[in-house]
């Protein structure tokens, strides 16, 4: 044993720890004690950083290769012996701590030991010792172990970069660790980034790996890529390959940083080159990356040279391509986009740097395209390059233009390498360049450059004649302008001729003529200083010309101001001999020319009439001017005493007034300081009541005079310093610079100002900026501050001048007596305060006490009633301290002012808006108002008088004269005067006064004070509540919208969501904020007014009324609380909508510009700068590319709500009046309010319709109500009318409906949408008013019918009213029959004929529903008269078109709209657009046999009226299209160019041209296909046709449809597309019918194949899935369906097979039936009815020829498919289908009867012991969509009477005769409907077999056998799938069979049932 122990000790000291652990196995880590014991037995010197690092590497290896358990027992024993205890064995056996089994390594144990025992080690050194031969990270399990053990010991989250990225010996192991870290999920490991790398991480894909933003990682991998080991090289390339796919943005940024920091000898250069070549393709080629813009901006910030090189390399890749190629243009456009992006968002010179980065060819190519896109000023760029580089640039420019001018086209034709406009710019620049340069020889042939320019110019003009004037130099322009003046002075041209010429030049598109115009005006103005030297004749001509220019408005804006100033200066000259007198005469000559316009400038006129010598010598002129001024004032409603006149003065220039004060801009509309006494008087007036109110003769406090000791700004009243203005030419240039300055051109404008501005004019400019800009334009303060900063040291004098002017004007405003009255003056003061804070405190500069004492200003404002002006002013000054280093809180000066604000805030009765200013200031300074220490100094100041003080809301007005006056007015019965005192218009009409209140009952006169009290209360709190609510709502909305819509490109969607949210938030917040304050304010005001009124009226005793007053106050305050809240909520909502639009203007504008300029998705990456959001958001809430989804948008749509309506207390609590049966109090107000609401909604609907029709233009007649999408504004308004109408009384609804009804007869039929909209209004009102239908029936009897137009309108209105079920057809039938007077009233006979023909043929009603009219027609047809022939034809047409047989089923929810209103509509298919084929489906009521013939005549007439050469022109266009279609398939650009060509030929611009193009094109392509026919093989069969022409034409139509976009929102574009499809299909079916008629007349075979091919192509192309068309897919199907209805087989029998193929096409019928909400069922039903109406005569005969038999088989196949896929459709329309199917077609009928809903699971009828009665389905009624009651007509009323009364006795006897048609056969439609109707009535009585229902059914069996069989079949048709109808009619059949006494009846019942079973399947279950 001793020898063994010695051996172990030697082993323990000889072997290293890794080998021991490996040998011992997993058991060593079974517990911390075992592992720690093992470690303790190992020599201590081996447990250093190296040992720990090796152990971690070992454990990492074991994580990917689990230990084998074979030697587990041995290892446990050995470990036990090494640790000298048995703890291991015990632990292992007992499942010790942290173990998962002895065969697994327990890394948690190892981590715990490292953390507890070795945390003091140098763990950076441990990481360095990972570099061992055995270290390798095989997978994420291994990485997890490494990180767990390292983090446990080091307590650091990440591995140290110096160790990780140092030079390892084991490069493969190092690479395995790095690769694992890169691919590790974020929760396992995240690379630590510095600040710059973190910014790079936010670029591009919102969720990339942070690894590739780590520059150290990328750099080290590039170093390893040079390793000779190919395995390492391949692994690194694979890592970079994956990174290039997932996050190329981070890769390119890292590589650029590495290249920028390197010396050119960076490792991995080969790999960098390969990757850079790929990355350049990604970011510097168009359309490769959605994040290219963000990446390029970031690259520019890092390394601008790389961006320049990238652009150059991108251009070089296409430099060899022709400039007209698509790739060349796209690449150049992308580079231009880079120039635009960087110039706008980085630096103005970025574009110049990019354009200067390559060779001359690159520079010119990019510059010319950039000039076309207004990215650079091409002329300025070329001129600067020529001036700087001379011949080195000028000659290549000549060569470039010479190379490309042949291919130049106008700029308007799209992206071109060089445009004609830019050639003009280049030629002009070359022509005006330095003469020395032009004389230099060119490098190639030593000829002067001028010769090359001249030759180039001539060549360009020869190719493009429009360039003839482009190269005219400025000297030539000057010479030509002078020549025109010479002609004027030599009388060669009259002034009138010159004026007409100048008018033409001004509006000319010729740049040369525009230059001449500008030059002439400039020269004339420039000569002004020499006018005093002109001879008399020339002076008169000049004066007349000068004035005529003004009279004819040839000068405007600034130029007009200069001209008027010149005239005014001339008039002010003394009319004495010499130069002064000449100038006066010039002024008189000029002003005489434009005196008719003087009234436009009242201020200018006032200057003229104040000239003393003008009044003396030209009194008549002065009188005329004064009369014009008075007339202008009278017309404008001006009043010289109105303060608004003065407040409007600062905006004179905004409305086009001339700048008359340019030389002395001190005329800002501020009060004059020349009379300081006025201010003391105002202050005395403000405080005089205090002085007079001293009691008992106590001395009153001395009146406070505002303005003393406030600093020089306020106290100084001395004369102003006159600042000399610059000369006129300099002044004009300075004003031009200021007018056009912006952030984008700041540097350029600053440089221009430096060049022309002398510091001696800084005083004038500073005053001008303050008066004209800073005080009126607060939104541009930041721009002006940036402008001053750019001026630098040069502009210090200007800053001082501005500051001095600010102080001066602040003093003027503060001293103004109107500052507390005029909001315009307070606004100016507030703007100046904001500027003063920004230019001083924000720049860490103080406001000196000697200039302005802000604290004393607040105190004096408090004492003199000026806080309303002073508080916002000082608050705005202090806002500048929020970004200051020196003055931000807790700066003592600022805190002292905040202490004053706190003291003022706590003053009782201070107005809410003043308190609100204090709250906003504290919020901006991030200071809590409650924490500000309040000072005591306010207690020592003079307390103001709060009565009539604009700073306070006074609580008691009992002693004020105003209150007493109010009460006296009330006492005198002046209720109207009280109403006038309400500032809120018409408020008194809505205020509720409960008449049961005792005080008002005793003294009714007191009621009149209630509206005044409510008005005052609302006005007191509305401003602060609205301001606070809107501010909070806008801030909240903006933050959320900017975050949520960061990746939304559609600015309209963003704006709509913001408006919905902010209006809801603001309204709700205002509502909850205002309720209690409003209640208190109403109570206070009402109490005070009542007390004053009672006192004034001597109502005694006063003490007895105290309790009554309190009762009145409580009741009235409660009753009117909702009214006030509603008004405040409305004001808040409206203001919030305006404010949020302003707040989001920049983001919305950015999105719009981005879309217009790039066409790529927009991503606002700035939101990722937030440290918390959006990364911390859950995945569903994070912004994703593509914008918000539908579910997310629902969050914002949920904010939409219905506006609140005032709740009228009196309407609920009627009080005494209600109890007495009188209308409740307030009911009249509610009714009046509802009536006004309905009227307002009707007006809004009219405006919406007007705008919609205006947008439709010439196609307004095609727009119908059905085409509007569900969310259209028109339909939304109709829905609102429905809601309000439902809540209105019947009287209000009827009154409103009558108004609408009258409006219908003021319309015409040219715009059907107007008429349909009014019908929809009546329908909406009818839902809430049951009396309306009855009244409408009466109203129609008074409709005008005196003219033919009125008759047509009345007929159309009646048809629409019947269709909308607003008129009962039976009552209309009786009234119309009576009006015809048996045929003697010819007007009504004609009217009824037209009405019946249209109504029946369009399935609005059926013949059976108008029996009285039909009887009258029958009587007319049987006697001689004028109308016998017409009536007989009508009756024949009705029979021929199966009016009775077809309309009963055709009337089921699929009535066709009157043709005069265009689209047929079905109640089942609301929302399915129909084609406006009014020419096809004529309102003349033609039979189907005549429709095709009439349309053939129409087509022939249209062809005859075509202009000459029409077919040749259209042929040329089609031929060109076919070449484009065949040669460039799929080339969208070529397609777009062709569509532009069509537009140039008038297609789409004019209704007539478009109709002619489509008609002639259709004829041509059909003719071409028919001519292409070749004999079939073997000569048998029809010729083989070639359809390539018709395919190309169909493709053209599809493109026109998809690209149709004439502007407007999505709904307007959808309407435009549907209108186009209406037009195309309408013309196509017309041509189809005409072609069939021509073939028939010529006895030719009609070939349906080309027509079928055309329509099939259109159906396929326009019904493919397309995101752009998905919203109107149902409308597209509706248009096709209606077109197919028009060309049904009854109309064109020769097209029947193609028609059936089209109807059953997979892109049509299935899509129609799959429409949401079964909206397509009605149209599909109508088309199948069309098919059966055609088949019915053939099937009834039973003899089918081959063609009909084939058609019948095809019909069966279609129906079987429907039975399989859409059984609900067949089941729900079974009644109308089976009525059309002859009784001998058993199998066909069985298809409909066997259909059952797919949701139903049928039980085998042969199941043993099956109890039908117990099935749950047997009690459920089936869904029937067929119109059952419509077919019954007048029979229905008699049936109802009989079922209720069992009378009259003759009913059953007369019934069979009423069921027969003219041929004596049973009308199957009526019988089917009768059976179902009677059955439903019986089932409501629990299916009794003994009632009147069974009498009727039994009576049907008394027909002769043939008709009886039809009735039995009608009963058997109800035996279908298990439902209540099947159950009832099965009992009926058994009952009839059992009780039949005639054997023939039993035989027919048996036959009917048996034949349904013996035929082929399917069989009905019933």
């Amino acid at each position: 044993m001793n020898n063994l122990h010695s051996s172990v000790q030697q082993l323990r000291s000889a072997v290293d720890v890794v080998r021991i652990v490996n040998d011992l196995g997993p058991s060593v880590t079974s517990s911390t004690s075992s592992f720690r014991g093992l470690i303790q037995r190992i020599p201590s010197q081996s447990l250093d950083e190296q040992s720990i690092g090796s152990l971690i590497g070992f454990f990492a290896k074991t994580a990917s290769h689990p230990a084998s358990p074979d030697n587990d027992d041995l290892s446990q024993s050995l470990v036990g012996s090494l640790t000298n205890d048995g703890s291991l064995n015990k632990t292992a056996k007992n499942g010790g701590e942290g173990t998962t089994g002895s065969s697994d390594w327990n890394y948690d144990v190892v981590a715990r030991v490292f953390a507890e025992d070795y945390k003091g080690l140098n763990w950076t050194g441990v990481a360095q010792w990972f570099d061992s031969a055995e270290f390798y990270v095989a997978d994420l399990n291994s990485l997890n172990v490494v990180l767990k053990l390292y983090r446990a010991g080091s307590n650091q989250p990440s591995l140290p970069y110096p160790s990780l990225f140092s030079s390892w010996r084991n490069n493969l192991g190092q690479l395995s660790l790095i690769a694992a870290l890169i691919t590790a999920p974020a929760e396992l490991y995240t690379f630590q980034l510095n600040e710059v790398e973190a910014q790079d991480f936010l670029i591009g894909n919102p969720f990339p790996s942070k690894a590739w933003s780590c520059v150290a990682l990328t750099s080290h991998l590039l170093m390893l890529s040079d390793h000779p080991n190919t395995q390492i090289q391949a692994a690194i390339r694979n890592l970079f390959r994956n990174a290039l796919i997932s996050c190329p943005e981070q890769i390119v940024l890292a590589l650029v940083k590495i290249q920028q920091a390197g010396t050119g000898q960076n490792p991995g250069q080969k790999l960098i080159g390969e990757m850079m070549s790929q990355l350049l393709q990604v970011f510097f080629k168009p359309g490769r990356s959605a994040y290219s813009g963000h990446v390029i901006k970031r690259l520019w910030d890092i390394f601008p040279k790389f961006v320049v090189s990238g652009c150059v390399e991108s251009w070089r890749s296409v430099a060899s391509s022709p400039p007209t190629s698509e790739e060349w243009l796209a690449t150049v456009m992308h580079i231009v986009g880079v120039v635009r992006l960087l110039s706008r968002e980085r630096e103005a010179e970025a574009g110049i740097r990019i354009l200067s980065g390559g060779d001359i060819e690159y520079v010119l190519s990019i510059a010319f395209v950039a000039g076309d896109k207004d990215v650079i000023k091409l002329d300025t760029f070329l001129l600067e390059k020529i001036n700087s580089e001379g011949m080195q640039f000028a000659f290549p420019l000549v060569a470039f233009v010479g190379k490309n001018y042949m291919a130049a086209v106008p700029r308007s034709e799209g992206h071109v390498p060089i445009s004609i406009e830019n050639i003009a710019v280049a030629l002009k620049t070359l022509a005006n360049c330095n003469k020395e340069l032009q004389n230099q020889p060119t490098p190639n042939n030593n000829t002067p450059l001028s010769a090359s320019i001249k030759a180039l110019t001539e060549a360009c003009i020869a190719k493009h004649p429009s360039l003839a004037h482009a190269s005219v130099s400025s000297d030539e322009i000057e010479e030509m302008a002078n020549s025109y003046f010479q002609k004027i002075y030599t009388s060669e041209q009259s002034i009138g001729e010159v004026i007409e010429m100048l008018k033409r030049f001004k509006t000319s598109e010729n740049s040369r003529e525009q230059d001449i115009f500008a030059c002439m005006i400039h020269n004339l103005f420039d000569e002004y200083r020499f006018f005093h030297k002109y001879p008399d004749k020339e002076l008169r001509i000049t004066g007349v010309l000068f004035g005529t220019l003004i009279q004819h408005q040839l000068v405007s804006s600034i130029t007009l101001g200069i001209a008027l100033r010149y005239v005014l200066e001339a008039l002010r000259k003394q009319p004495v001999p010499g130069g002064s007198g000449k100038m006066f005469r010039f002024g008189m000559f000029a002003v005489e020319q434009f005196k008719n316009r003087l009234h436009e400038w009242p201020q200018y006129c006032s200057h003229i009439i104040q000239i003393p010598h003008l009044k003396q010598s030209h009194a008549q002129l002065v009188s005329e001017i004064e009369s014009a001024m008075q007339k202008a004032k009278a017309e404008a409603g001006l009043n010289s005493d109105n303060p608004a006149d003065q407040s409007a003065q600062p905006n004179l220039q905004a409305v086009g007034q001339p700048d008359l004060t340019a030389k002395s801009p001190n005329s800002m509309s501020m009060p004059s300081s020349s009379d300081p006494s006025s201010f003391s008087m105002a202050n005395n007036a403000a405080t005089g009541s205090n002085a007079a109110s001293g009691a008992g003769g106590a001395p009153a406090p001395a009146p406070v005079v505002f303005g003393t000791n406030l600093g020089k700004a306020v106290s100084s009243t001395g004369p102003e310093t006159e600042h000399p203005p610059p000369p006129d030419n300099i002044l004009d240039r300075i004003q031009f610079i200021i007018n056009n300055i912006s952030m984008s051109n700041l540097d350029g404008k600053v440089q221009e100002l430096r060049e022309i501005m002398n510091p001696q004019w800084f005083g004038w400019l500073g005053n001008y900026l303050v008066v004209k800009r800073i005080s009126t334009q607060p939104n541009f303060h930041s721009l002006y501050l940036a402008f001053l900063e750019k001026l630098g040291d040069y502009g210090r004098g200007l800053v001082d001048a501005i500051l001095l002017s600010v102080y001066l004007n602040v003093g003027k405003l503060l001293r103004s007596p109107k500052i507390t009255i005029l909001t315009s003056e307070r606004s100016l003061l507030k703007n100046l305060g904001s500027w003063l804070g920004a230019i001083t405190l924000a720049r860490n500069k103080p406001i000196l006490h000697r200039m302005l004492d802000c604290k004393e200003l607040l105190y004096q404002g408090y004492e003199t009633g000026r806080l309303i002006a002073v508080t916002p002013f000082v608050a705005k000054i202090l806002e500048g301290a929020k970004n200051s280093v020196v003055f931000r809180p807790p700066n003592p000066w600022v805190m002292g002012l905040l202490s004053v604000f706190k003291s003022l805030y706590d003053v009782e009765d201070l107005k809410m808006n003043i308190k609100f200013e204090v709250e906003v200031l504290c919020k901006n300074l991030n200071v809590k108002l409650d924490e500000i220490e309040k000072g005591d100094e306010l207690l020592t100041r003079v307390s103001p008088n709060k009565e009539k003080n604009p700073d306070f809301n006074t609580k008691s007005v009992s002693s004020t004269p105003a209150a007493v006056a109010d009460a006296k007015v009330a006492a005198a019965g002046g209720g109207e005067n009280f109403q006038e005192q309400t500032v809120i218009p018409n408020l008194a009409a809505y205020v509720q006064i409960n008449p049961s209140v005792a005080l008002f009952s005793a003294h009714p006169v007191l009621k009149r004070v209630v509206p005044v009290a409510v008005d005052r209360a609302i006005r007191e709190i509305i401003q602060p509540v609205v301001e606070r609510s809107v501010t909070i709502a806008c801030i909240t909305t903006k933050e959320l919208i900017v975050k949520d819509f960061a990746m939304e490109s559609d600015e309209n969607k963003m704006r709509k969501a913001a408006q919905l949210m902010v209006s809801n938030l603001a309204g709700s917040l205002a509502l909850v904020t205002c309720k209690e304050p409003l209640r208190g304010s109403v109570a206070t005001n009402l109490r005070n007014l009542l007390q004053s009124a009672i006192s004034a009226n001597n109502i005694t005793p006063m003490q007895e009324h105290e309790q009554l007053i309190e009762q009145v106050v409580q009741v009235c305050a409660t009753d009117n609380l909702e009214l006030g809240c509603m008004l405040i909520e409305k004001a808040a909502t409206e203001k919030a909508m305006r404010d949020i639009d302003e707040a989001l203007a920049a983001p919305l504008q950015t999105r719009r510009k981005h879309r217009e300029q790039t066409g790529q998705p927009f991503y606002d990456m700035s939101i990722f700068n937030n440290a918390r959001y959006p990364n911390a958001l859950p995945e569903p809430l994070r912004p994703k590319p593509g914008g918000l989804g539908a579910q997310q948008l629902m969050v914002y749509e949920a904010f939409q709500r219905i506006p609140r309506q005032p709740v009228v207390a009196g309407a609920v609590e009627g009080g005494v009046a209600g109890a007495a049966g009188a209308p409740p109090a307030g009911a009249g107000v509610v009714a009046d309010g509802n009536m006004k609401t309905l009227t307002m909604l009707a007006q809004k609907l009219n405006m919406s319709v007007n705008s919609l029709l205006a947008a439709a233009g010439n196609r307004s007649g095609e727009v119908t109500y059905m085409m509007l999408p569900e969310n259209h504004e028109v339909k939304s308004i109709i829905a609102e009318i429905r809601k309000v109408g439902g809540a209105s009384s019947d009287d209000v609804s009827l009154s409103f409906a009558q108004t609408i009804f009258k409006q219908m007869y003021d319309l015409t039929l040219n715009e059907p949408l107007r008429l349909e909209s009014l019908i929809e209004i009546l329908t909406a009102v009818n839902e809430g008013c049951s009396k309306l239908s009855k009244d409408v029936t009466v109203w129609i009897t008074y409709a005008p019918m005196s003219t033919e137009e009125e008759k047509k309108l009345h007929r159309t209105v009646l048809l629409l009213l019947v269709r909308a079920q607003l008129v009962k057809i039976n009552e209309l039938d009786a009234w119309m029959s009576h009006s015809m007077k048996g045929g003697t009233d010819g007007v009504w006979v004609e009217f009824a004929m037209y009405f019946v023909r249209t109504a029946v043929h369009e399935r609005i009603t059926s013949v059976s529903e108008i029996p009285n009219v039909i009887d009258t027609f029958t009587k007319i047809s049987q006697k001689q008269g004028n109308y016998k022939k017409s009536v007989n034809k009508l009756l024949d047409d009705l029979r021929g078109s199966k009016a009775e047989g077809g309309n009963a089923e055709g009337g089921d929810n699929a009535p066709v709209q009157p043709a005069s209103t265009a689209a047929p509509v079905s109640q089942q298919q609301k929302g399915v657009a129909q084609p406006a084929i009014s020419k096809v489906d004529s309102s003349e009521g033609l039979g189907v046999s005549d429709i095709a013939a009439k349309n053939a005549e129409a087509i022939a007439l249209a062809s005859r009226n075509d202009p000459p050469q029409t077919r040749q022109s259209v042929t040329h266009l089609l031929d060109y299209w076919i070449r484009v279609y065949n040669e460039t398939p799929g080339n969208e650009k070529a397609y777009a160019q062709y569509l532009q060509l069509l537009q140039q030929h008038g297609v789409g611009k004019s209704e007539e041209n478009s109709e002619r193009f489509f008609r002639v094109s259709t004829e041509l392509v059909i003719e071409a296909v028919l001519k292409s026919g070749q004999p079939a093989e073997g000569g048998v069969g029809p010729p083989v046709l070639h359809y390539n022409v018709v395919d190309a034409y169909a493709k053209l139509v599809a493109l026109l449809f998809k690209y149709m976009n004439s502007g407007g929102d999505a709904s307007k574009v959808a309407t435009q597309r549907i209108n186009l499809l209406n037009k195309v299909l309408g013309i196509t079916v017309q041509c189809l019918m005409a072609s069939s008629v021509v073939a028939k007349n010529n006895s030719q075979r009609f070939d349906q194949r080309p027509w079928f091919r055309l329509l099939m192509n259109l159906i396929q192309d326009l019904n493919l899935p397309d995101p752009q068309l998905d919203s109107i897919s149902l409308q597209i199907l509706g248009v096709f369906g209606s077109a197919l209805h028009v060309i049904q087989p009854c109309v064109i029998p020769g097209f029947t097979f193609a028609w059936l193929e089209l109807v059953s096409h997979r892109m049509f019928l299935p899509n129609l039936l799959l429409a949401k909400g079964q909206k397509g069922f009605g149209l599909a039903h109508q088309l199948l009815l069309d098919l059966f109406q055609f088949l019915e005569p053939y099937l009834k005969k039973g003899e089918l020829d081959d063609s009909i038999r084939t058609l019948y088989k095809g019909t069966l196949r279609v129906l079987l498919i429907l039975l399989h896929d859409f059984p609900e459709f067949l089941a729900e329309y079974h009644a109308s289908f089976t009525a059309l199917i002859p009784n001998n077609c058993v199998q066909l009928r069985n298809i409909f009867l066997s259909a059952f809903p797919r949701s139903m699971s049928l039980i085998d009828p042969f199941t043993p012991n099956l109890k039908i009665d117990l099935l749950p389905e047997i009690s459920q009624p089936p869904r029937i969509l067929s119109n059952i009651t419509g077919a019954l007509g007048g029979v229905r009323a008699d049936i109802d009477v009989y079922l209720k009364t069992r009378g009259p006795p003759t009913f059953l006897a007369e019934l069979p005769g009423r069921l027969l048609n003219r041929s004596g056969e049973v009308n199957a439609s009526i019988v089917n409907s009768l059976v179902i109707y009677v059955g439903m009535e019986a089932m409501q009585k629990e299916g009794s077999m003994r009632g009147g229902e069974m009498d009727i059914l039994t009576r049907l069996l008394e027909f002769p056998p043939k008709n009886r069989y039809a009735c039995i079949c009608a009963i058997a048709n109800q035996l279908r799938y298990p439902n209540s109808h099947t159950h009832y009619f099965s009992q009926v059949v058994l009952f009839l069979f059992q009780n039949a006494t005639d054997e023939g009846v039993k035989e027919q019942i048996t036959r009917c049932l048996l034949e349904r079973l013996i035929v082929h399947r399917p069989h009905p279950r019933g």
Side-chain angles (χ1 to χ4, degrees), residues 636-648:
L638 297 177
N639 188 344
S640 60
D641 296 330
N642 188 355
D645 294 344
Q646 288 136 12
S647 65

Side-chain angles (χ1 to χ4, degrees), residues 1012-1032:
V1012 180
V1014 174
D1015 176 80
R1016 291 182 180 178
I1018 292 174
R1019 288 189 289 116
E1020 280 178 5
I1021 73 166
I1022 191 169
Q1023 181 179 357
V1025 168
V1026 168
E1027 288 290 343
R1028 183 191 300 243
S1029 304
V1030 170
T1031 301
I1032 295 172

Side-chain angles (χ1 to χ4, degrees), residues 1465-1483:
V1465 149
S1466 126
Q1467 295 175 8
Q1468 287 284 331
Q1469 340 165 191
K1470 284 191 175 180
V1472 180
Q1474 310 288 346
I1477 313 175
S1478 56
K1479 296 179 182 177
V1480 175
D1481 206 359
S1482 173
S1483 62

Side-chain angles (χ1 to χ4, degrees), residues 234 246 318 398 413 419 675 736 760 913 1092 1380 1456 1506 1633:
S246 62
V318 298
V398 172
E413 294 192 11
S419 64
D675 186 12
F736 182 80
Q760 66 178 336
N913 53 343
S1092 301
M1380 285 190 286
V1456 180
D1506 285 342
M1633 288 189 282

Side-chain angles (χ1 to χ4, degrees), residues 1798-1850:
R1798 284 174 292 182
S1799 59
M1800 180 177 289
S1801 178
L1802 297 186
I1803 300 176
D1804 186 356
F1806 300 105
T1807 302
N1809 301 320
L1810 178 64
K1811 299 295 184 181
I1812 300 296
D1813 296 349
L1814 300 180
L1815 294 176
E1817 296 88 353
I1818 211 68
S1819 61
Q1820 301 297 323
R1823 188 165 184 251
I1824 297 177
L1825 295 180
S1826 299
N1827 187 1
I1828 303 304
T1829 58
L1832 293 175
V1835 180
R1836 176 188 173 185
D1838 295 338
I1839 292 175
D1840 292 339
V1841 172
Y1842 181 79
L1843 294 179
K1844 290 180 180 179
T1845 64
R1846 301 295 286 270
T1850 58

Side-chain angles (χ1 to χ4, degrees), residues 6 17 57 79 138 347 392 417 424 474 586 655 752 774 815 825 865 1077 1305 1328 1342 1357 1547 1578 1804:
S6 176
V17 64
V79 171
E347 55 179 288
Q392 300 299 321
S474 56
F586 160 76
V655 294
E752 289 183 39
I774 294 169
R815 293 192 303 270
E825 288 193 0
Y1305 286 92
Y1342 298 99
V1357 170
V1547 179
D1804 186 356

